[in-house]
Amino acid sequence: MEGVLNQLPIGLSIGAVLLLIALGLTFTFGQMGVINMAHGEFIMAGAYTAYLLQSVGFLIALPAAFGVAGVMGLVLERLLIRHFYGRPLDTLLLTWGVSLVLQQAARDLFGAPNVQVVSPTWLRGGVGILPYNRLFIMALAVLSVVAIWAYLHRTGQGRRMRAVMQNRRLAATSGINTGRVDQVTFFIGSGLAGIAGVALTLIGPVGPTLGTYYIVDAFLVVVAGGLGQLKGAVLAALGLGLLNSYAEFWSDASLAKVIVFVAIIGFLQLRPQGLFVLRSRALS
Amino acid sequence: MLSVEGLEAGYGRARVLFGVSLEVTEGRLVCVMGRNGVGKTTLLNTIMGVLPATAGSVTFEGRDVTRLRPDERVRLGMGYVPQGHETFPQLTVMDNLMVTLEASPHRDPTALEEALEVFPRLKPLLKRPAGFLSGGQQQQLAMARALVTRPRLLILDEPTEGIQPSIIIEIEEAIERLHAAGLAMLLVEQYLDLALRLADSFVILDAGRVAHSGAAEELRGEQVHRLLAV
Ligand SMILES: Nc1ncnc2c1ncn2[C@@H]1O[C@H](COP(=O)(O)OP(=O)(O)OP(=O)(O)O)[C@@H](O)[C@H]1O
Ligand SMILES: [Mg+2]
């Protein structure tokens, strides 16, 4: 029984990390139709930022990783992705290539073996079955979701982002510089992946291929949650995190992957549009 | 104020416009007419920069805007209400107006009140998602959104299409009032009597070319009716 309960914070914190990763993906896909395979490497970049800054302070690493990953996303969008809007397959292959290049760059910079980030002392221990580091990750995700929600619904820039997501052409003919909005979306989405990377240093080692372990699950969250949907992403991420950790608990890691895939495919058979969809009279 | 010269555009290899020229002078209302599919929407989209012009030029207030992005043209004072009463369905009516106001060069909140004075029907609906308004209300919102930018030229694509008759009257009155207040307009309108009541001059398109253009009085001829017959 205790083992079963112990899985709970593990599943929830993995769900929280998946959510941070999926938010960026769902917005870049929902807004620009871009499937960014290099998104996982922004996680890795965030994690290495925490590694480099561990002597300076863990909390400094959070904004720093956000900035580093965000700027990487921005540069990728400006240099490559924007030239391929409307060509999803080309973008997919291109960003996959970028992802491999970035992994190799990490190997050259930090070496192929994993490195360990020493968790700050105030995150060791825990209350009951809840370790502080897992709690911290959950709090980070909650804070990020609240911040994103407030950004989307309470600021002018967020309003522009929602407008572009709902009707790009109309946004442009309303005077909105859609290219600028795309850049901001890329920056924020990639930055969140950087934050996820910092969170991951609390529960495991950091390596050049860190991102690849999470990117597939994050894509599943995006698909299951419904594109561009905050609410859907939250529920799907928590569901997938829990499903993952319990499937692993009751079987083993590779069988767990199979169980998760089967569950997602079954779910998408029932609801191909995901948990939530853009819905209105205008679209029906 | 708006001068279109030899404009050509299309979709991929399919050319739709073959050298269209027209002129909208200060404070005038020019009506573009023509059968379904002759290229009226394509013309307006090219004037606004939604579609690239493959040849020809668009000049607004003496400035060549042919290569500018749509949002840049809006900021110069061109307002556009596309066909099909489009709004941002998940944003509230208020947010639909705000998002346009914030993107305008003046950002003056009184422009929002002025737009609502033109369409008072929207006032009690400000908190509702635009996607849940009726087609007529959405059309009024679409026009109010364009007005919020304080355009000097308003481009309207079939504002009365598929709208309930009671609201058509309100929209017609709004266009009349804006015109009387000196706003220049380029209007695509299918209803001949409505067009005759509103317009100062006409451009009739046929198969992507200007088949006829001139003042309102000239529109009553036989030949013109043939061009408009469905
Ligand atoms: N997105 C598109 N892709 C390809 N062809 C298009 C597209 N939009 C319009 N067309 C074609 O271009 C031609 C002109 O269309 P357009 O919409 O400009 O006509 P219209 O005069 O506005 O018609 P309506 O009165 O029905 O609004 C038509 O033959 C149409 O089939
Ligand atoms: Mg049309």
Side-chain angles (χ1 to χ4, degrees):
Chain A
M1 188 58 209
E2 188 159 320
V4 174
L5 276 180
N6 280 339
Q7 287 307 113
L8 198 65
I10 295 178
L12 286 176
S13 55
I14 293 298
V17 171
L18 287 180
L19 177 59
L20 288 172
I21 303 166
L23 282 178
L25 286 176
T26 196
F27 288 136
T28 45
F29 192 86
Q31 186 176 321
M32 290 154 266
V34 165
I35 297 178
N36 179 13
M37 296 300 285
H39 194 70
E41 279 50 58
F42 301 153
I43 309 171
M44 179 263 287
Y48 276 113
T49 305
Y51 171 70
L52 289 176
L53 291 178
Q54 58 183 334
S55 57
V56 184
F58 179 74
L59 288 180
I60 309 278
L62 288 169
F66 185 88
V68 167
V71 168
M72 284 173 70
L74 200 58
V75 169
L76 180 65
E77 198 268 349
R78 282 290 90 186
L79 286 187
L80 289 175
I81 290 177
R82 75 181 167 118
H83 301 294
F84 294 89
Y85 281 137
R87 291 158 63 182
L89 204 60
D90 294 344
T91 312
L92 194 118
L93 289 173
L94 194 75
T95 53
W96 186 54
V98 170
S99 134
L100 296 179
V101 169
L102 289 175
Q103 285 174 27
Q104 189 54 45
R107 255 176 231 117
D108 294 343
L109 278 171
F110 303 101
N114 286 344
V115 296
Q116 190 75 44
V117 178
V118 183
S119 296
T121 44
W122 51 273
L123 281 179
R124 301 202 188 128
V127 280
I129 59 157
L130 296 172
Y132 286 139
N133 59 356
R134 305 262 173 194
L135 271 178
F136 182 82
I137 293 174
M138 291 177 228
L140 205 56
V142 170
L143 268 180
S144 302
V145 168
V146 170
I148 292 289
W149 186 89
Y151 171 75
L152 285 174
H153 293 268
R154 293 283 178 272
T155 72
Q157 180 64 35
R159 205 169 7 232
R160 282 194 280 286
M161 185 172 149
R162 285 193 293 152
V164 173
M165 218 181 278
Q166 287 169 42
N167 190 335
R168 170 173 294 272
R169 192 172 37 75
L170 186 63
T173 57
S174 303
I176 296 170
N177 183 343
T178 56
R180 174 101 36 86
V181 176
D182 290 346
Q183 290 167 39
V184 176
T185 302
F186 245 95
F187 179 76
I188 294 178
S190 310
L192 286 172
I195 300 256
V198 178
L200 284 175
T201 66
L202 292 173
I203 52 177
V206 177
T209 55
L210 178 68
T212 55
Y213 296 116
Y214 293 93
I215 197 70
V216 175
D217 283 358
F219 273 119
L220 291 180
V221 167
V222 171
V223 175
L227 293 171
Q229 299 295 301
L230 195 57
K231 219 178 355 173
V234 172
L235 290 179
L238 292 182
L240 198 65
L242 287 172
L243 187 65
N244 249 325
S245 74
Y246 279 100
E248 232 172 273
F249 179 66
W250 277 307
S251 56
D252 60 72
S254 47
L255 190 57
K257 279 272 165 262
V258 176
I259 293 172
V260 168
F261 265 107
V262 170
I264 298 270
I265 289 167
F267 171 77
L268 288 176
Q269 289 293 325
L270 293 174
R271 276 189 78 83
Q273 71 280 51
L275 281 172
F276 297 97
V277 268
L278 287 170
R279 203 177 9 217
S280 78
R281 232 194 249 187
L283 290 176
S284 58
Chain B
M1 105 176 307
L2 177 78
S3 164
V4 174
E5 209 73 60
L7 205 60
E8 306 200 352
Y11 305 90
R13 241 166 295 162
R15 199 128 64 95
V16 175
L17 300 180
F18 299 86
V20 174
S21 301
L22 62 84
E23 197 87 33
V24 182
T25 47
E26 209 73 47
R28 302 266 88 190
L29 197 161
V30 177
C31 189
V32 177
M33 303 194 76
R35 284 185 288 248
N36 287 108
V38 295
K40 304 181 295 294
T41 299
T42 306
L43 172 63
L44 298 197
N45 275 339
T46 313
I47 290 175
M48 278 314 290
V50 175
L51 275 176
T54 50
S57 68
V58 180
T59 313
F60 180 66
E61 294 186 327
R63 182 169 170 182
D64 184 357
V65 298
T66 319
R67 302 272 159 256
L68 295 188
R69 293 191 310 265
D71 60 287
E72 294 173 316
R73 302 186 202 207
V74 173
R75 276 194 288 275
L76 287 176
M78 299 168 71
Y80 186 33
V81 182
Q83 187 168 5
H85 46 78
E86 284 185 87
T87 59
F88 303 111
Q90 287 199 326
L91 298 190
T92 61
V93 171
M94 185 64 178
D95 277 350
N96 264 274
L97 295 168
M98 282 299 287
V99 83
T100 318
L101 178 68
E102 286 163 349
S104 73
H106 60 78
R107 293 167 152 259
D108 178 358
T110 55
L112 208 146
E113 280 145 45
E114 288 161 19
L116 287 174
E117 284 314 314
V118 181
F119 298 105
R121 196 185 269 276
L122 295 174
K123 280 187 196 166
L125 302 171
L126 289 175
K127 290 204 166 71
R128 309 203 59 195
F132 290 98
L133 304 188
S134 75
Q137 292 164 337
Q138 288 187 15
Q139 181 61 43
Q140 293 187 321
L141 173 58
M143 289 178 67
R145 260 172 4 87
L147 290 180
V148 156
T149 64
R150 293 215 174 110
R152 286 184 300 287
L153 169 71
L154 185 61
I155 301 177
L156 298 161
D157 197 349
E158 303 207 31
T160 60
E161 186 196 29
I163 305 273
Q164 59 268 44
S166 62
I167 295 197
I168 292 189
I169 295 171
E170 291 177 24
I171 288 174
E172 183 183 349
E173 280 169 6
I175 294 175
E176 242 163 12
R177 257 197 293 158
L178 294 167
H179 183 31
L183 180 60
M185 282 187 259
L186 183 61
L187 168 73
V188 170
E189 180 55 66
Q190 296 272 50
Y191 293 123
L192 186 57
D193 354 338
L194 187 66
L196 281 170
R197 279 201 295 277
L198 291 171
D200 298 311
S201 61
F202 288 86
V203 172
I204 297 175
L205 288 188
D206 191 31
R209 289 185 172 83
V210 176
H212 188 88
S213 70
E217 301 75 52
E218 298 170 34
L219 197 72
R220 294 162 208 273
E222 235 349 82
Q223 172 211 16
V224 166
H225 278 274
R226 190 173 45 75
L227 284 167
L228 295 177
V230 186

